[in-house]
Amino acid sequence: MARAWDGPVLPVLSPDRNVLGRDIAAHVPDFSSVPFGGEMPAEHAQIWRRAEPYLRVRDNDGHTIYAYGLARALCELHPEADADVVLPAILLHDSGWSTVAEEEILEAIAPDGSRPDLVRQHEVEGARIAHEVLTGLGHDRERIERIVEIIDGHDSRRVALHLDDALVKDADKLWRITPHGVDTVMGWFGLDRAAAHRLIASRVHEHLFTDAARTIASALGALAMVDTLPQRIALG
C-alpha cells in the first residue's frame, strides 16, 4: 500500500513512484488535444529569438512571454482578430525599453508617472526594432505596418485603434494581475502582496477594452485576492 501523503513537502516523484502508488502517465493526453498544448509555433519562436535580447531589462522577458500567452487566449476568444498582427506585436511591444537606462525604467513605469518622455521613447524605439526584426524575417509588409502602428502608442495612447490594438493593450495589462505580475510589482516597489494587488487592480480592471479581457481579469483578480487572505496564508 502506498504511504499516505501527510504534508506539503513532497518526495522526489516520477510517474511510477508517486503518492498515488501507480503510474497514470498513459492517461495524460497529448498536446494536440488540449488548448495551447505543445511548443510555441515556429514563426513566433523566430520572433522571440530576435526579440529576447532586447527584453533583458526589468523582467521584460518574463512579462512578455506571459503577455504572449494571454494574447493567444484573447485571439482564441476573438477569432475575427488577426493573430498574425496581435502575437508578433505582443512579442515585440516592450523591446524599446532596451534603449532606456535600466535605472530610469522604474521612474517611467511608477504609479506617479514622472517620466512620460521615457514611456514615449520605448514606444518609438520598440516600433523601430519591431520593423527591423519583422522585415529581417520576411513578414508581410502590410502586417508589419499594423504591428508597428500598435507598438508605437501601446502605452501612451488611451484609445484602441482597432480590435488588434485592443487585444495587445489588454494582454499587456492583464499580465500585471497574474501571479508573476504581482510578484514582480511587489519586488519593484517594496509592497506586500495585498498592497501590490490593490495597486494593480486600480490600474487594470477599469482600463481594459474587451469583455474577454475583463472576464480573464476577474478570474485572475479573484485568485490574487485569495493569496492575500489570512486563511490562505495560514495554509503555508
Side-chain angles (χ1 to χ4, degrees):
M1 180 179 294
R3 181 178 63 83
W5 179 43
D6 56 5
V9 178
L10 293 173
V12 176
L13 301 178
S14 63
D16 60 349
R17 186 176 180 180
N18 55 41
V19 175
L20 176 64
R22 63 178 183 275
D23 186 351
I24 58 100
H27 299 278
V28 178
D30 63 28
F31 287 126
S32 64
S33 64
V34 296
F36 312 114
E39 298 178 351
M40 181 184 285
E43 63 271 24
H44 299 160
Q46 285 184 322
I47 297 169
W48 171 256
R49 282 194 295 272
R50 298 286 185 95
E52 197 270 338
Y54 298 104
L55 300 173
R56 296 172 185 168
V57 291
R58 292 292 184 194
D59 300 302
N60 271 321
D61 44 6
H63 157 63
T64 298
I65 204 69
Y66 278 103
Y68 167 78
L70 291 162
R72 286 187 68 182
L74 289 172
C75 286
E76 288 285 324
L77 295 168
H78 284 278
E80 70 275 27
D82 189 344
D84 290 331
V85 169
V86 174
L87 299 177
I90 202 68
L91 286 170
L92 289 157
H93 77 286
D94 271 349
S95 57
W97 283 122
S98 62
T99 70
V100 178
E102 187 161 1
E103 64 273 12
E104 294 186 307
I105 293 175
L106 279 184
E107 287 294 338
I109 63 177
D112 55 8
S114 60
R115 293 297 305 273
D117 59 310
L118 297 181
V119 173
R120 188 71 190 114
Q121 177 182 329
H122 103 278
E123 291 176 330
V124 171
E125 291 298 314
R128 176 186 61 79
I129 291 166
H131 192 279
E132 291 177 0
V133 166
L134 296 172
T135 300
L137 290 171
H139 281 242
D140 177 80
R141 181 163 50 181
E142 289 186 11
R143 282 202 170 98
I144 291 174
E145 293 306 317
R146 284 175 66 84
I147 291 164
V148 167
E149 178 185 49
I150 288 170
I151 293 172
D152 187 6
H154 68 274
D155 278 332
S156 63
R157 188 173 54 242
R158 301 304 180 190
V159 298
L161 301 173
H162 39 66
L163 178 60
D164 295 342
D165 187 25
L167 296 187
V168 171
K169 286 177 174 293
D170 282 354
D172 190 15
K173 288 185 177 69
L174 282 172
W175 162 80
R176 300 175 189 176
I177 208 163
T178 65
H180 181 264
V182 175
D183 286 344
T184 301
V185 170
M186 289 171 65
W188 280 346
F189 303 120
L191 301 175
D192 64 24
R193 188 166 298 278
H197 179 220
R198 293 197 302 274
L199 174 63
I200 291 164
S202 72
R203 295 164 64 84
V204 171
H205 295 285
E206 300 302 319
H207 303 278
L208 297 168
F209 290 93
T210 63
D211 288 340
R214 283 186 281 271
T215 299
I216 293 170
S218 293
L220 290 171
L223 293 177
M225 178 273 295
V226 167
D227 280 337
T228 71
L229 295 177
Q231 293 88 344
R232 168 64 185 88
I233 294 168
L235 297 177

